[in-house]
Amino acid sequence: MENDAGCSSTQLIDGDGTFNVSGIEAFMKEVKLAECGLSYAIVSIMGPQSSGKSTLLNHLFGTNFREMDAFRGRSQTTKGIWLARCAGIEPCTLVMDLEGTDGRERGEDDTAFEKQSALFALAVSDIVLINMWCHDIGREQAANKPLLKTVFQVMMRLFSPRKTTLMFVIRDKTRTPLENLEPVLREDIQKIWDSVPKPQAHKDTPLSEFFNVEVVALSSYEEKEEQFKEQVASLRQRFNHSIAPGGLAGDRRGVVPASGFSFSAQQMWKVIKENKDLDLPAHKVMVATVRCEEIANERYSDFTQNEEWLQLEEASQSGPVAGFGKKLSSIIGNCFFQYDSEAVYFDEGVRTSKRKHLEDKLLQLAQPAFLSILGHLRSGTVEKFKEAFDKALKSGEGFSIASQKCKQSFVNLFDEGCADAVIEQANWDTSKTRSKLIRDLDEYITSVRDAKLAELTTSYEEKLNEALVGPVEALLDGANDETWPSIRKLLRRETQSAISGLASDLSGFELDDETRAKMLARIENHANGIVEGKAKEEAGKILIRMKDRFTILFSHDTDSMPRVWSGKEDIKSITKAARSASLKLLSVLAAIRLEDESDDIDKTLSLALVEKTGITSERSVTVSDPLATSTWEKVPSSKTLITPVQCKSLWRQFQMETEYTVSQAIAAQEASRRSNNWLPPPWAIAAMLILGFNELMTLLRNPLWFAVLFVVFLVSKALWVQMDISNEFRHGWLPGFLSISTRIVPAVMTMLRNLAEQGNRPATTGSRTNPPPLAANSFHRDGLSSTGSSHVTTNENGTEYSSSSHDD
């Protein structure tokens, strides 16, 4: 590449037909052709060898193409195709200097390169200068005729939508006026056009459809140099603003943008070298496709290396980024602006398609960061919602109001975050993430509501437990005819209270009718379950309860005092009453009666187990056993706790186990009767009076005996009181005698010791000294304590005593 006086030039195609790719790329960068867009023009020149083409270009456009040295003789100066930028002409104008035709160096038969270079020049150029000698005009064998035929022939191989300007430059003009030369030249051109074979589609197409023909004439450079330069300077003015409408290059259809010129020229030459028809519209699309794709790839690469984008991408992984959408929109918008600026002159369809592809790639690259931010927004919103919702509930705000207000507030907050993250160039849908957020919030609200409802339900269930368990147990323990009515009344009152309270608390949750009804029914069922469970528990201990009730009623009187079997009690009536009460307990616990429906369980048990005892065996054979079934009449099987068969079995076991208690009471009663008859019979007393008459008279005659008897009486009375002799003989003579015999000596010794201690005390005045009564009181207390101990021993050995009495 050469650079002289501000004019840059390079060989585009060498003499062998090789395209200089590196040279054209360097040339484009030097002249900054890519910045020109569509504001550039290409001028090429054709003509016979050594016809002064390079000289004309150098003077006309200020280029520095190599010129022929006339002193060395005529020879080939330009080989291949050279390219240079015009100096001082706007817009940017590139000039191609083609190798001359009809040169002896290539010979007569080697015309392939001439045709290829001519086709290339017509395809690339806006203006084609055809350099010709003035003296060839009107001649049949003129040197320019083969050139024109070549131009017109190759034109048939171009499918171009625009007209090319053919400017015929007549060199070494003679004195013949141009007005006379031009018609002759045009006539010659038309003849050549008519003689060129054409495709059927263009058989009748006039020359003006393909070319704008211009004719100019220049004086001889060698003979009239100054005049030549003036004429060239005048012609140069026509190339300024040549691309304007009406200018030499005014038809801009199909023009390749300047940035794609290198690739376009390279592909054109490749097609021409392969001897293929050159479809310029298709070629234009192909160039646009390649070049727009290159521009898009460059913009994509710039985006991936953009520091601001890399920072946004990194920040998006750790949390929401304020202004993410605005910042990313600016970066992507700048990429699109640069793409549009570079690709604006290429085919619109291709440009738009590649822009859309670039947009898709950029958005695909940026979308993960956007989705990451949405994820952080969603998770952060959920956490903030939980905190605010829990705080609202703790402050006493209603559940439904708090949930709706907090949910709406934080969904709006999420929407604001999404709006801040969305970019202008994308129509990304945030509805899925929003729906997931709403689902997360609803799930948390549901979980909190379920926990609150469970807490409420548990609270009321505990209240029911506290209100029902104790009273129900007490009512079942004191079984009577009013047990179940009382339980039902208690159950309804407490259940209604719990349901009313729960219904009031549930009003703040805005539950649907079905859920509300289920919760209230659960409380009611729980209350029923408490009663049923307690009834089943008590029914499982029915035999123990019956025995306890029998023992209490049998062993205690109506004042709940321990019963003393003195022999006057009606044990049979007491036993029957106690067993009837136990039977009442069995009838109460035989079934659960939470409904206001009567049954015959009590009557059936009484007839079958109590009153049937007195029925003769013959009659019992004819009467069916009402307890031989497994169900109660008028009682569902689900409410049955103890079946009739089980009641019968339990009653038999109960009777067997309570017989021992009854037998003990009977034995104690017999022993009491015997202990109350300790005085001798009347006939024995009469016999003693008759037989002891003499001894009685002796005592009456001697008063000293009365004093002795009186002392003996006092001592005996003191011993009687202290030892509680009457109580000792209550259980019979033998136990009383044995007890007295073991205690008589210690009692006498104690009495004598007390008398001795009273005698040894110093005398005192008045009522403060009264030893005998003190001794008597002390003696009485000791004796009472001893008697109590003996009584306990006697009670524990009542069975043995009964056996001994029977032996006597």
Side-chain angles (χ1 to χ4, degrees):
M1 187 174 68
E2 299 178 2
N3 189 344
D4 184 20
C7 179
S8 299
S9 63
T10 186
Q11 188 176 34
L12 186 61
I13 299 171
D14 63 14
D16 296 328
T18 303
F19 194 92
N20 185 10
V21 178
S22 59
I24 185 63
E25 293 292 341
F27 174 80
M28 288 183 62
K29 290 181 180 179
E30 182 178 352
V31 301
K32 300 180 180 179
L33 183 62
E35 300 177 2
C36 296
L38 296 178
S39 298
Y40 75 102
I42 297 179
V43 180
S44 61
I45 189 167
M46 301 179 190
Q49 179 177 308
S50 303
S51 62
K53 299 186 299 296
S54 300
T55 302
L56 174 61
L57 294 179
N58 290 339
H59 284 82
L60 182 61
F61 298 110
T63 56
N64 58 355
F65 294 123
R66 182 183 176 189
E67 300 178 7
M68 181 188 71
D69 188 355
F71 295 100
R72 292 187 179 182
R74 294 183 177 272
S75 63
Q76 187 181 48
T77 305
T78 303
K79 294 182 179 181
I81 300 175
W82 284 75
L83 179 68
R85 177 178 179 177
C86 300
I89 294 180
E90 293 296 335
C92 178
T93 301
L94 302 182
V95 179
M96 289 195 303
D97 187 10
L98 274 65
E99 180 179 319
T101 61
D102 196 21
R104 64 181 177 83
E105 286 80 6
R106 289 192 181 271
E108 294 181 0
D109 298 328
D110 189 8
T111 60
F113 185 80
E114 293 179 5
K115 293 182 179 180
Q116 290 172 352
S117 60
L119 180 59
F120 179 77
L122 287 173
V124 173
S125 303
D126 300 296
I127 305 168
V128 177
L129 302 180
I130 298 178
N131 202 40
M132 61 185 301
W133 299 112
C134 180
H135 56 75
D136 283 336
I137 299 174
R139 295 171 58 186
E140 186 65 26
Q141 301 297 325
N144 63 331
K145 283 192 174 181
L147 175 61
L148 289 176
K149 287 182 179 179
T150 300
V151 170
F152 293 155
Q153 286 174 355
V154 299
M155 192 65 194
M156 296 297 102
R157 296 174 59 188
L158 282 178
F159 296 91
S160 175
R162 64 171 176 162
K163 291 182 180 182
T164 303
T165 298
L166 288 180
M167 178 174 283
F168 290 86
V169 181
I170 301 174
R171 303 293 299 275
D172 295 350
K173 177 181 173 296
T174 62
R175 290 182 292 180
T176 304
L178 179 61
E179 291 80 5
N180 296 333
L181 293 174
E182 185 174 350
V184 177
L185 178 59
R186 289 184 180 273
E187 184 179 353
D188 290 342
I189 295 172
Q190 185 64 44
K191 288 180 181 180
I192 297 172
W193 173 257
D194 293 338
S195 65
V196 172
K198 305 178 185 66
Q200 187 65 30
H202 298 291
K203 190 172 183 179
D204 298 325
T205 304
L207 178 65
S208 59
E209 290 290 328
F210 290 92
F211 300 103
N212 292 321
V213 179
E214 296 285 339
V215 179
V216 295
L218 298 177
S219 298
S220 173
Y221 174 69
E222 293 180 353
E223 298 176 359
K224 301 177 181 180
E225 182 176 353
E226 293 300 326
Q227 188 177 1
F228 173 83
K229 292 181 179 179
E230 291 176 1
Q231 292 171 348
V232 168
S234 176
L235 178 61
R236 176 184 176 91
Q237 298 301 319
R238 299 186 64 183
F239 287 92
N240 274 315
H241 306 292
S242 59
I243 65 173
L248 293 177
D251 189 352
R252 307 304 293 166
R253 292 176 296 171
V255 177
V256 176
S259 62
F261 173 76
S262 172
F263 178 77
S264 175
Q266 182 181 353
Q267 295 300 315
M268 282 183 179
W269 183 249
K270 180 179 178 182
V271 172
I272 292 170
K273 287 283 289 183
E274 293 173 356
N275 199 28
K276 296 179 180 179
D277 292 340
L278 189 59
D279 188 348
L280 290 184
H283 174 77
K284 177 185 176 183
V285 172
M286 182 268 295
V287 172
T289 301
V290 174
R291 184 59 189 141
C292 288
E293 187 169 350
E294 289 178 353
I295 296 172
N297 290 337
E298 291 173 1
R299 299 290 73 77
Y300 181 79
S301 177
D302 291 343
F303 178 83
T304 58
Q305 298 173 12
N306 185 282
E307 286 295 330
E308 190 175 0
W309 154 245
L310 295 176
Q311 293 175 3
L312 286 176
E313 185 180 28
E314 182 179 358
S316 67
Q317 303 304 315
S318 57
V321 180
F324 176 85
K326 187 175 181 180
K327 295 176 182 177
L328 185 56
S329 296
S330 176
I331 300 173
I332 294 178
N334 186 46
C335 285
F336 288 156
F337 175 78
Q338 294 179 6
Y339 172 86
D340 293 337
S341 298
E342 296 184 43
V344 65
Y345 301 113
F346 289 101
D347 181 81
E348 183 178 359
V350 176
R351 181 177 73 244
T352 304
S353 174
K354 294 303 178 180
R355 189 183 195 279
K356 183 65 171 61
H357 185 62
L358 173 62
E359 180 179 359
D360 292 341
K361 289 176 64 178
L362 292 178
L363 296 182
Q364 185 177 4
L365 179 63
Q367 191 172 27
F370 172 75
L371 294 177
S372 176
I373 287 179
L374 287 188
H376 291 306
L377 280 174
R378 181 184 62 81
S379 58
T381 303
V382 171
E383 293 302 321
K384 292 178 181 177
F385 168 81
K386 290 179 180 180
E387 182 179 351
F389 184 48
D390 293 342
K391 185 177 181 180
L393 292 179
K394 289 179 181 179
S395 65
E397 192 171 350
F399 184 90
S400 178
I401 297 175
S403 62
Q404 292 178 1
K405 185 173 69 174
C406 290
K407 177 181 176 181
Q408 186 60 46
S409 174
F410 283 93
V411 168
N412 292 340
L413 182 64
F414 174 79
D415 291 339
E416 293 175 3
C418 288
D420 183 64
V422 170
I423 65 175
E424 299 174 0
Q425 295 82 2
N427 189 24
W428 286 329
D429 185 14
T430 61
S431 60
K432 290 184 178 179
T433 307
R434 190 178 190 273
S435 298
K436 189 173 182 181
L437 169 69
I438 294 175
R439 186 166 60 252
D440 291 343
L441 299 184
D442 289 339
E443 287 178 357
Y444 183 74
I445 291 173
T446 301
S447 66
V448 174
R449 182 183 63 187
D450 291 344
K452 293 290 183 181
L453 293 179
E455 184 180 345
L456 273 178
T457 304
T458 302
S459 173
Y460 279 98
E461 287 176 352
E462 290 177 353
K463 290 180 181 179
L464 285 174
N465 289 339
E466 184 178 352
L468 291 176
V469 171
V472 169
E473 183 176 0
L475 288 171
L476 291 175
D477 190 48
N480 54 50
D481 293 336
E482 295 299 320
T483 295
W484 282 109
S486 299
I487 290 176
R488 287 195 294 269
K489 183 178 180 181
L490 173 67
L491 175 63
R492 289 168 185 168
R493 184 181 70 246
E494 297 299 334
T495 302
Q496 185 60 38
S497 175
I499 289 177
S500 177
L502 180 58
S504 176
D505 291 339
L506 292 179
S507 61
F509 288 88
E510 291 188 1
L511 300 175
D512 57 88
D513 294 339
E514 183 180 358
T515 304
R516 178 186 178 90
K518 285 182 179 180
M519 294 193 66
L520 297 180
R522 175 181 172 180
I523 289 296
E524 184 175 1
N525 293 335
H526 180 75
N528 293 340
I530 293 175
V531 175
E532 292 178 2
K534 182 51 66 175
K536 290 178 182 179
E537 180 183 346
E538 294 298 320
K541 302 183 290 185
I542 184 61
L543 185 59
I544 297 174
R545 294 294 190 190
M546 290 171 65
K547 290 192 295 182
D548 291 344
R549 170 169 281 208
F550 176 83
T551 301
I552 291 173
L553 295 178
F554 186 78
S555 302
H556 294 77
D557 56 19
T558 56
D559 297 328
S560 298
M561 297 298 293
R563 197 185 298 276
V564 177
W565 303 106
S566 62
K568 299 177 182 180
E569 295 82 3
D570 186 355
I571 292 182
K572 183 176 181 181
S573 298
I574 295 172
T575 301
K576 183 176 181 180
R579 285 181 174 173
S580 297
S582 298
L583 184 63
K584 172 60 71 174
L585 180 61
L586 178 61
S587 69
V588 168
L589 292 175
I592 298 173
R593 303 172 181 89
L594 297 182
E595 304 296 333
D596 293 329
E597 297 178 1
S598 60
D599 56 69
D600 299 330
I601 295 179
D602 188 29
K603 183 178 179 181
T604 301
L605 290 177
S606 297
L607 290 174
L609 301 178
V610 178
E611 298 180 9
K612 193 175 180 180
T613 306
I615 301 176
T616 61
S617 59
E618 295 180 0
R619 185 178 176 185
S620 63
V621 172
T622 60
V623 179
S624 61
D625 188 359
L627 301 181
T629 64
S630 59
T631 59
W632 297 104
E633 186 179 356
K634 300 180 182 180
V635 177
S637 58
S638 61
K639 300 298 182 181
T640 300
L641 297 177
I642 306 173
T643 63
V645 175
Q646 291 173 334
C647 287
K648 187 175 182 180
S649 175
L650 287 170
W651 184 254
R652 288 175 181 174
Q653 188 175 355
F654 167 74
Q655 284 183 317
M656 292 174 59
E657 294 185 8
T658 55
E659 283 296 333
Y660 176 73
T661 302
V662 175
S663 64
Q664 277 190 326
I666 293 174
Q669 195 177 52
E670 290 296 329
S672 178
R673 285 199 192 98
R674 287 193 297 270
S675 64
N676 291 335
N677 297 329
W678 60 277
L679 292 176
W683 61 270
I685 295 175
M688 287 181 3
L689 290 175
I690 295 172
L691 294 176
F693 180 77
N694 295 328
E695 288 76 4
L696 179 60
M697 294 306 295
T698 302
L699 290 174
L700 293 174
R701 291 189 187 96
N702 189 355
L704 183 60
W705 285 103
F706 282 101
V708 174
L709 290 176
F710 180 73
V711 172
V712 171
F713 172 76
L714 291 177
V715 173
S716 300
K717 181 64 176 177
L719 291 173
W720 184 282
V721 172
Q722 180 179 2
M723 300 179 66
D724 195 11
I725 292 177
S726 61
N727 190 42
E728 293 293 340
F729 284 97
R730 182 169 58 86
H731 300 293
W733 283 96
L734 182 59
F737 178 76
L738 292 175
S739 178
I740 291 172
S741 64
T742 59
R743 297 172 56 200
I744 184 65
V745 175
V748 172
M749 294 301 295
T750 300
M751 183 179 63
L752 294 177
R753 185 170 55 253
N754 290 336
L755 291 174
E757 290 177 357
Q758 292 292 333
N760 292 333
R761 284 182 185 175
T764 56
T765 61
S767 60
R768 294 184 60 184
T769 54
N770 195 0
L774 289 173
N777 290 339
S778 176
F779 184 83
H780 177 71
R781 284 194 300 269
D782 293 340
L784 184 60
S785 176
S786 178
T787 303
S789 175
S790 176
H791 177 64
V792 172
T793 302
T794 304
N795 287 339
E796 291 174 354
N797 297 315
T799 304
E800 295 178 2
Y801 166 76
S802 176
S803 176
S804 299
S805 299
H806 184 269
D807 292 339
D808 290 340

